[in-house]
């Protein structure tokens, strides 16, 4: 189970509940209308709650480069590849956070098949490809 949270929702009760559920992963929408200041605020809360895995949805949107740099050193921060609009962002995410990048697509706006092909073409290794395409989320969800 993952808790989906749009930006603008008060996060303290969400993190409190996620902690009570023994580290329930939280997925947060970080594309527009979210701004980099919102993503920085979220990163601060993620650091304050090290037992709660937080998935930065859409790789930070237009702020993908800053989001990748910001989350590199936060062990419980994950990146979701849905709505990635440049393969450079996808490639860099898999290079910088190979164990914390999660495959996703933004269907019906994105094509899951093309998103999968992009991961397969851009992954730096077969191991990273496997992790991104399912192993990491399986570990995160303990399935």
């Amino acid at each position: 189970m993952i808790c989906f949270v749009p930006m603008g929702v008060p996060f303290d009760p969400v993190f409190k509940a996620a902690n009570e559920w023994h580290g329930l992963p939280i997925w947060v929408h970080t594309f527009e209308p979210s701004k980099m200041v919102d993503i920085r605020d979220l990163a601060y809360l993620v650091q304050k709650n090290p037992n709660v895995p937080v998935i930065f949805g859409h790789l930070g949107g237009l702020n993908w480069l800053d989001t990748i740099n910001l989350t590199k050193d936060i062990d419980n921060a994950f990146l979701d590849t849905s709505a990635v609009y440049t393969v450079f962002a996808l490639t860099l995410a898999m290079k910088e956070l190979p164990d914390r990048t999660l495959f996703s697509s933004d269907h019906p706006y994105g094509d899951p098949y093309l998103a999968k092909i992009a991961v397969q073409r851009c992954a730096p290794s077969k191991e990273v490809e496997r992790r991104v395409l399912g192993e990491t989320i399986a570990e995160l969800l303990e399935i």
Side-chain angles (χ1 to χ4, degrees), residues 31-113:
F31 210 108
E32 289 294 324
S34 300
K35 304 294 182 216
M36 195 60 214
V37 66
D38 301 316
I39 295 169
R40 280 191 200 98
D41 289 348
L42 176 60
Y44 172 75
L45 290 170
V46 174
Q47 289 175 309
K48 281 181 47 177
N49 293 274
N51 296 324
V52 177
V54 176
I55 303 162
F56 287 66
H58 309 302
L59 201 62
L62 301 175
N63 302 296
W64 60 268
L65 184 57
D66 291 325
T67 302
I68 291 169
N69 285 327
L70 184 65
T71 56
K72 278 194 308 192
D73 297 322
I74 305 173
D75 292 338
N76 57 318
F78 293 78
L79 301 173
D80 152 293
T81 64
S82 63
V84 171
Y85 53 89
T86 174
V87 293
F88 181 59
L90 177 60
T91 302
L92 188 62
M94 290 189 291
K95 179 180 178 252
E96 296 294 327
L97 291 95
D99 293 330
R100 292 186 284 130
T101 300
L102 308 171
F103 171 78
S104 187
S105 71
D106 205 15
H107 185 74
Y109 307 107
D111 184 311
Y113 177 75

Side-chain angles (χ1 to χ4, degrees), residues 3 5 9-28 41-56 76:
C3 176
V5 182
V9 169
F11 279 105
D12 287 334
V14 174
F15 276 99
K16 182 178 184 287
N19 273 300
E20 289 172 3
W21 278 68
H22 309 287
L24 175 70
I26 301 172
W27 183 96
V28 182
D41 289 348
L42 176 60
Y44 172 75
L45 290 170
V46 174
Q47 289 175 309
K48 281 181 47 177
N49 293 274
N51 296 324
V52 177
V54 176
I55 303 162
F56 287 66
N76 57 318

